[in-house]
Amino acid sequence: MQVHEIKLMGRSLKIRSDQNPEYLSEVAEYVDEKLEGISNGKQNMAAQNALLLTVLNVADELFQARAEHHSLKESIRAQSRNLLSRMATSA
């Protein structure tokens, strides 16, 4: 496992990971952008509150993406069943 340095909220953090450094930088940049979006214009917002709200927002995005993924899988399954049924009746 390698040690990587990332920056969040202007702070350097060292993390251990086997992930590609470019990927880790992308993830850190994404989270940092989310943090900035939440704390933007709210200079008196505590860092802990900004972090908690960011975690909730990212979790919400994850749940929405999972729901969309599930919906797409179900749609593909239904279409596949329909096509297989058509193929079976025409054979």
Side-chain angles (χ1 to χ4, degrees):
M1 215 177 266
Q2 296 178 332
V3 176
H4 303 276
E5 189 170 329
I6 60 170
K7 282 196 169 207
L8 289 175
M9 298 178 68
R11 297 179 185 172
S12 292
L13 299 168
K14 290 187 179 184
I15 60 172
R16 291 181 186 265
S17 177
D18 289 328
Q19 292 287 346
N20 181 322
E22 289 83 24
Y23 171 79
L24 294 172
S25 292
E26 263 187 73
V27 171
E29 186 177 316
Y30 177 80
V31 171
D32 203 40
E33 287 174 5
K34 289 289 186 182
L35 280 163
E36 285 179 26
I38 285 176
S39 61
N40 189 21
K42 300 172 187 105
Q43 289 134 2
N44 61 349
M45 179 182 274
Q48 185 177 12
N49 289 344
L51 288 167
L52 290 172
L53 290 171
T54 299
V55 167
L56 286 172
N57 282 342
V58 172
D60 177 51
E61 289 177 2
L62 172 64
F63 275 65
Q64 287 182 29
R66 283 180 176 170
E68 183 178 347
H69 180 255
H70 177 74
S71 176
L72 288 171
K73 279 184 4 183
E74 288 302 315
S75 176
I76 290 169
R77 282 187 183 125
Q79 290 176 14
S80 296
R81 281 192 298 270
N82 186 16
L83 288 171
L84 288 171
S85 175
R86 285 183 188 181
M87 289 171 59
T89 58
S90 66

